[in-house]
Each structure stands twice: as structure tokens, then as C-alpha cells.
Amino acid sequence: REPIMTINITTRFDANITYTPYAIAKIVNELLAECEIEKVLPPQMFYTYAKKGALNGIKESKRITGSDAAAWTEAYVLKHLVTEEA
């Protein structure tokens, strides 16, 4: 099992392109699986976050930049998953 903190999250997202909430969910869930974390985040959660502006600070966003997606993913992992493993 690879510790989640040894994986570079920013390399999962290309800062020069935008992602749909579904694509972000897919990448985040692949990352969790690689770390053998049995949690699966539903794509609907990412659409809700995008609608509320939680992924990038812009409400009703349909596309999220790679850098915003990476920042959100890193913050989510640190807040929710690292504390659950400790």
C-alpha cells in the first residue's frame, strides 16, 4: 500500500486543461484506489461542489481548471482521509 502523502496529486491534473466534475471524481477515485483506501466518492458529490463553487470559488461551474482540481483534491485528502487513517 502506497501512503497517500507520497503521491504527487498535482501530477494527476494538467493545469492547462479543464475538467468536468465527473472527470475529477474519476481521477480522485483512482488515486484513492491506488492508496488502497476503500472509499469511493460519488460523481454527484463533485457536481454539487461545482454548483456551490467549492471546487474553484465560482458557483455554477461546468469546467474546473486542473490546478483548482488538484488544490481541492489535496485539501480534501488532508482534511478527510489522512485523519481517518491516523
Side-chain angles (χ1 to χ4, degrees):
R1 173 182 179 164
E2 185 162 359
I4 191 122
M5 296 317 295
T6 64
I7 294 176
N8 188 345
I9 293 171
T10 57
T11 61
R12 302 302 170 116
F13 298 96
D14 184 337
N16 297 315
I17 64 172
T18 59
Y19 295 84
T20 64
Y22 179 82
I24 297 170
K26 187 174 179 182
I27 293 169
V28 170
N29 285 324
E30 288 171 359
L31 173 69
L32 298 178
E34 286 177 26
C35 296
E36 296 180 10
I37 296 173
E38 295 182 11
K39 187 170 195 156
V40 176
L41 304 178
Q44 296 86 347
M45 180 180 96
F46 291 84
Y47 281 98
T48 299
Y49 284 169
K51 184 175 183 179
K52 293 180 178 182
L55 296 177
N56 63 357
I58 302 169
K59 290 186 177 186
E60 303 294 332
S61 290
K62 303 280 190 253
R63 308 283 299 177
I64 311 298
T65 65
S67 55
D68 285 339
W72 181 90
T73 301
E74 188 171 327
Y76 183 89
V77 166
L78 288 174
K79 183 176 180 182
H80 294 284
L81 302 179
V82 172
T83 55
E84 288 177 10
E85 287 191 333

